[in-house]
Amino acid sequence: MKIFIYSRKTIEELLENDFPKNVAVISFYDPLGSFRDADYQPVDYSARTDCVFQIALHDIDLTVLPKYHLTYETYFPEADDLAKFIFTAKKEGKDIICQCEYGESRSSGCAAAIHEYFYKDGIDLFADYRYYPNQMVYHKVYDALEKYGIENNVIRERGK
């Protein structure tokens, strides 16, 4: 399973031209009340694939959760469902696209968690200067993958 990280701009270009085949998409977008204008919409993948998991999620860290009336427990409640989506995509032999607004934080945090869980090389994304993985996204996704794997008796196969 290959894991790709894309910004909104890059993914919209791919949607117009050479969108990859056999992929599952994890798309993070800014929720209402964020720094978005009234016309803002999540990326529309409907013309290319229906294998999409879209999540409205603030790109914030632990220290500012209270400003958003959130706790670590209430931030990213979709993580368990996302873990199931990831396991299903892997079982179906799909590659995964992680996409967020700039392709730097939420998407790279998610990709790092997937890499760490399945291949034990998630640290590589934290070391890559192009990315700033959101650590809460990383931990929420990684923990959800661990939980799903344990609950479903999934034996991890290492390797790409």
Side-chain angles (χ1 to χ4, degrees):
M1 170 176 65
K2 294 179 185 171
I3 304 153
F4 303 96
I5 301 168
Y6 291 119
S7 67
R8 180 186 187 103
K9 181 181 179 197
T10 302
I11 206 70
E12 286 176 341
E13 291 169 2
L14 286 174
L15 284 165
E16 289 182 19
N17 300 306
D18 298 320
F19 191 76
K21 305 243 185 284
N22 199 36
V23 294
V25 178
I26 301 167
S27 178
F28 295 94
Y29 63 96
D30 296 330
L32 289 172
S34 291
F35 306 101
R36 64 181 223 189
D37 62 34
D39 297 330
Y40 179 90
Q41 294 291 319
V43 174
D44 180 7
Y45 290 92
S46 63
R48 295 296 190 142
T49 183
D50 61 356
C51 191
V52 179
F53 194 101
Q54 290 189 310
I55 309 139
L57 190 68
H58 294 287
D59 189 10
I60 56 177
D61 65 28
L62 196 60
T63 61
V64 298
L65 282 173
K67 292 180 183 177
Y68 290 82
H69 306 289
L70 295 167
T71 64
Y72 184 78
E73 291 72 29
T74 60
Y75 179 78
F76 198 179
E78 304 87 354
D80 289 342
D81 291 335
L82 178 58
K84 181 179 179 182
F85 178 83
I86 293 165
F87 271 95
T88 300
K90 185 173 187 336
K91 183 178 178 182
E92 293 174 356
K94 294 181 185 289
D95 293 329
I96 294 180
I97 291 173
C98 297
Q99 174 265 312
C100 66
E101 201 62 34
Y102 297 104
E104 295 174 348
S105 186
R106 290 168 288 186
S107 57
S108 64
C110 182
I114 297 167
H115 268 282
E116 186 62 25
Y117 180 80
F118 289 105
Y119 310 117
K120 294 296 182 200
D121 64 355
I123 192 67
D124 293 348
L125 286 166
F126 282 91
D128 188 324
Y129 71 92
R130 295 173 297 171
Y131 306 114
Y132 306 94
N134 181 303
Q135 290 189 32
M136 285 199 308
V137 170
Y138 170 84
H139 287 286
K140 287 289 194 164
V141 173
Y142 185 84
D143 291 347
L145 290 169
E146 280 278 327
K147 179 181 169 187
Y148 185 90
I150 291 168
E151 289 175 353
N152 293 280
N153 296 314
V154 176
I155 298 171
R156 284 192 245 183
E157 296 175 23
R158 301 291 180 206
K160 298 179 184 181

